Amino acid sequence: MENDRKEGIPSSPAHSGSGDKERSVSRRAVLAALGAAGVSLTAHAVLGGNRTYAENAQVSGHVYGGNGHAGHKGHVDWHNVCEYGAKGDGLTDDADAFQQLLNRALTDGSAVVYIPRGTYKLGRMLRIYRNTSLIAHPGAVLLRCHNDSFLLNGDGGAQYDGYEGHGNISIEGGVWDGNILQYPDAYNGFNFGHARGITVRDVTIKDVVWAHAIEINASRDVLIEHCRFLGFKNADDGSRYFSEAIQIDVPTRLSFGGFGKYDGTPCRNITVQGCYFGASGTPGTTAWAGGVGTHGAIHDVWSGNIKILQNTFEGLSYWAIRLFKWNDCLVDGNTILNCGGGITVSTPSPNSESTKDKNGVQRGTPQAGRGIRIVNNTVSGAEAYGGIVCYGHEQARVEEVSIVNNTMRDAGVNKHGIATSWCRLVRIEGNIVNNARRGIHLENTADAQVEGNRIGNITVNGIESAKCRNVTIVGNDVSVCGYYGISLSETSRFGIRRNTIEAAGRLEHNRYDGIIVSTANSDGAVVENRVRPADSGNQTRYGLQIVATSQHIETSGNRLEGVSGAYRNSSPTSGDMLLLYSPTGDSYKVTVDASGVLTATLQ
């Protein structure tokens, strides 16, 4: 270990007035020792705080002083764990040395702990306190040698209000190895509850059983960036098929056992960016089930302002990203490769654990999130669940949803590229969908615009609207569909305009149409669309068909082709028309009957 200590931080003279053998380290020495491979500390050192802490007591206003926020003493000591007894040899239990330094945050108001290269055996869970920065060399391995978590921000049984638990904490660098072949019990990696100001950067968390790599609960102002989450082991009965590497959650006794209060505090201002989620290669493990998300909620509580940016998810078995009753979320620039599903927005079921209030009283009624932006993501291979889906509930619609400029490929023959259900105020624009069951599927959705998407190689329908209201489908390119290019059923107040459809009906010759206005639609317009046949093989039946049960559908300006005819209208209240104005400004509707006679009707 002598060489490892030389890579660490040289010690400075003993801290003035300490009266013991503990030694502190200068900030300049830390920066010099870390170099380019280390972590920039200038902007991330955590300062100040008072020394009061009350275990097993209500600490609102005590953890950070009377105003509930961190203080500032203007001085930070830097400490090398090897100067305090840690060996880093993989054999000696170094937990006591680590905890001794972490406790300095309680006595000194802050602590900065540096971990040099080495393998550090940890025989128990660490507790990290306010105003602490824990910085590990990239070659430092923290080896879990017990059946609990790596660390928790506080003491068991404490009671924290709101965001006034132990915050202003940063953890940077190192490989945190779950060592699950030796210690196979279920555990969470890092646990943060009731905190304000958490940073986890350049960390690798390897091999977690059953639970989560990082649990963020009732916390705000959290940044997780440039981390790697490698390896997951499901429960033996497969019941943890949904576990997320990073869970962003609300405080209930089921979700967070470290401490209380269970006061309904939501998460706020959470960013996860530039991280990788995948497999570790450890025998008995797989890639993670889920990447970022949650699966629990509290009635009348919404977490919000959550950003999931430029991450890579590879080989996950469940949804890579799951937004569950969150408000004001941005999912931008992520790459999702061969996962079970891409991105889902979901809503609690009625009378479930997630419809109970903060006191555990069942409220029964589901509640949905709003303000969801899913943009610039790539989803490649999502055959178990689909590409991007947004599901509300009949009693709780998800509102203000934007799905823009994403690429979905290879969802396969059974799952959709993009789907919404029980949503309102939806914008689906500029996406590419290639190889899915349905390209874009809307159901029970209101006030939606589907514009400028490119959709191809679809098993069933390119764009489908069922039981929807106020839907505009405009300027999309749809090609090579097994059934219909665009299909509407039970949809009212719609417009289908300036779309191009080529090679629909590929599954069976002369059975499917380019555009079909099917059962029980009303008050719609189909205008200036282009339907082209395939170059060879099975062909479209009609370019456009309107069935008898649809009412008040106006069509005009379409260029249509089909082997049974360009256009078929069986609805007595619908028809092809032109609206013309006379020189005097009168408006005439011009229609044509089956014999080709034109009729102009003054409007």
Side-chain angles (χ1 to χ4, degrees), residues 347-407:
T347 300
S349 299
N351 297 302
S352 63
E353 282 295 323
S354 294
T355 56
K356 292 180 179 179
D357 67 18
K358 65 182 182 180
N359 298 314
V361 177
Q362 181 57 257
R363 306 296 292 273
T365 304
Q367 296 172 316
R370 67 189 302 165
I372 309 298
R373 291 181 293 155
I374 301 172
V375 299
N376 305 318
N377 302 283
T378 297
V379 180
S380 181
E383 295 187 5
Y385 301 102
I388 297 175
V389 305
C390 184
Y391 292 153
H393 188 272
E394 183 177 6
Q395 301 176 60
R397 293 180 186 264
V398 180
E399 297 189 341
E400 302 167 14
V401 178
S402 295
I403 303 172
V404 178
N405 294 340
N406 302 282
T407 297

Side-chain angles (χ1 to χ4, degrees), residues 210-212 232-235 237-244 289 295:
W210 198 88
H212 312 285
F232 172 72
K233 189 176 187 300
N234 197 348
D237 62 0
S239 60
R240 296 295 294 185
Y241 65 90
F242 52 80
S243 280
E244 306 90 354
H295 48 270

Side-chain angles (χ1 to χ4, degrees), residues 71-314:
H72 187 282
K73 294 173 64 179
H75 177 77
V76 177
D77 287 336
W78 308 77
H79 305 282
N80 182 334
V81 293
C82 291
E83 302 290 342
Y84 289 79
K87 301 299 183 183
D89 58 8
L91 300 174
T92 305
D93 186 351
D94 291 324
D96 286 347
F98 276 74
Q99 195 61 59
Q100 177 188 1
L101 285 178
L102 293 175
N103 289 345
R104 300 210 43 155
L106 297 177
T107 58
D108 295 354
S110 64
V112 179
V113 179
Y114 177 67
I115 309 167
R117 180 190 294 274
T119 298
Y120 297 86
K121 179 179 177 180
L122 300 177
R124 60 186 172 96
M125 181 175 70
L126 302 176
R127 299 186 183 274
I128 191 167
Y129 301 105
R130 63 191 179 277
N131 302 330
T132 298
S133 186
L134 184 63
I135 303 144
H137 187 280
V141 176
L142 293 301
L143 192 65
R144 174 177 163 269
C145 295
H146 55 90
N147 286 314
D148 210 333
S149 300
F150 283 116
L151 58 84
L152 172 70
N153 70 319
D155 291 312
Q159 299 293 306
Y160 304 109
D161 288 304
Y163 306 109
E164 304 310 320
H166 288 276
N168 292 334
I169 293 169
S170 68
I171 301 172
E172 307 194 23
V175 176
W176 298 72
D177 188 338
N179 192 23
I180 64 173
L181 298 181
Q182 297 298 319
Y183 297 90
D185 283 9
Y187 79 101
N188 278 321
F190 298 169
N191 301 270
F192 301 108
H194 288 286
R196 182 196 310 267
I198 300 291
T199 298
V200 181
R201 178 183 290 116
D202 297 321
V203 162
T204 296
I205 298 180
K206 179 182 176 184
D207 296 336
V208 171
V209 179
W210 198 88
H212 312 285
I214 299 180
E215 166 81 13
I216 305 166
N217 198 292
S219 295
R220 64 173 297 156
D221 308 328
V222 176
L223 172 64
I224 301 172
E225 66 175 352
H226 307 147
C227 295
R228 299 195 306 158
F229 301 93
L230 308 179
F232 172 72
K233 189 176 187 300
N234 197 348
D236 290 340
D237 62 0
S239 60
R240 296 295 294 185
Y241 65 90
F242 52 80
S243 280
E244 306 90 354
I246 299 174
Q247 176 167 244
I248 302 168
D249 209 354
V250 288
T252 68
R253 285 173 174 80
L254 289 176
S255 69
F256 196 79
F259 45 71
K261 295 179 176 179
Y262 302 109
D263 58 359
T265 300
C267 284
R268 293 273 189 267
N269 309 333
I270 313 295
T271 299
V272 179
Q273 64 183 20
C275 296
Y276 177 83
F277 302 76
S280 67
T282 300
T285 68
T286 65
W288 273 92
V292 181
T294 192
H295 48 270
I298 296 174
H299 191 80
D300 284 342
V301 174
W302 285 264
S303 293
N305 193 22
I306 296 168
K307 298 177 182 179
I308 304 169
L309 312 175
Q310 299 175 343
N311 303 283
T312 298
F313 305 85
E314 186 170 12

Side-chain angles (χ1 to χ4, degrees), residues 307-557:
K307 298 177 182 179
I308 304 169
L309 312 175
Q310 299 175 343
N311 303 283
T312 298
F313 305 85
E314 186 170 12
L316 279 59
S317 56
Y318 194 56
W319 291 100
I321 299 171
R322 184 183 185 189
L323 315 182
F324 187 73
K325 196 188 166 186
W326 291 349
N327 286 346
D328 302 319
C329 300
L330 174 62
V331 181
D332 187 351
N334 299 281
T335 300
I336 300 170
L337 305 173
N338 299 315
C339 295
I343 302 163
T344 182
V345 180
S346 56
T347 300
S349 299
N351 297 302
S352 63
E353 282 295 323
S354 294
T355 56
K356 292 180 179 179
D357 67 18
K358 65 182 182 180
N359 298 314
V361 177
Q362 181 57 257
R363 306 296 292 273
T365 304
Q367 296 172 316
R370 67 189 302 165
I372 309 298
R373 291 181 293 155
I374 301 172
V375 299
N376 305 318
N377 302 283
T378 297
V379 180
S380 181
E383 295 187 5
Y385 301 102
I388 297 175
V389 305
C390 184
Y391 292 153
H393 188 272
E394 183 177 6
Q395 301 176 60
R397 293 180 186 264
V398 180
E399 297 189 341
E400 302 167 14
V401 178
S402 295
I403 303 172
V404 178
N405 294 340
N406 302 282
T407 297
M408 272 75 56
R409 64 174 71 95
D410 298 331
V413 299
N414 295 315
K415 298 300 174 182
H416 308 323
I418 298 173
T420 68
S421 178
W422 296 112
C423 296
R424 181 175 173 271
L425 299 173
V426 175
R427 176 185 172 214
I428 301 173
E429 182 177 323
N431 301 283
I432 297 172
V433 181
N434 184 26
N435 185 20
R437 182 168 182 80
R438 291 176 174 85
I440 297 174
H441 174 70
L442 310 180
E443 185 173 358
N444 293 307
T445 292
D447 306 318
Q449 180 155 317
V450 180
E451 181 173 0
N453 302 283
R454 298 180 66 86
I455 300 166
N457 299 306
I458 302 302
T459 303
V460 182
N461 303 319
I463 300 174
E464 180 175 284
S465 172
K467 301 178 182 179
C468 296
R469 180 181 176 87
N470 294 340
V471 175
T472 300
I473 301 171
V474 58
N476 301 281
D477 290 335
V478 181
S479 64
V480 191
C481 300
Y483 292 8
Y484 304 100
I486 298 176
S487 172
L488 270 72
S489 61
E490 300 180 67
T491 295
S492 62
R493 297 187 180 180
F494 65 86
I496 303 174
R497 299 183 173 90
R498 299 190 302 280
N499 301 283
T500 299
I501 298 163
E502 185 170 350
R506 300 297 286 167
L507 185 66
E508 185 175 336
H509 182 69
N510 197 26
R511 180 172 178 180
Y512 301 102
D513 311 311
I515 301 172
I516 185 166
V517 182
S518 185
T519 307
N521 301 283
S522 63
D523 302 312
V526 184
V527 178
E528 297 180 356
N529 300 282
R530 180 72 169 95
V531 177
R532 299 189 182 107
D535 291 337
S536 61
N538 294 337
Q539 298 294 322
T540 303
R541 177 178 55 187
Y542 297 104
L544 167 61
Q545 179 174 194
I546 304 169
V547 306
T549 57
S550 289
Q551 301 180 41
H552 307 294
I553 313 302
E554 296 182 350
T555 65
S556 67

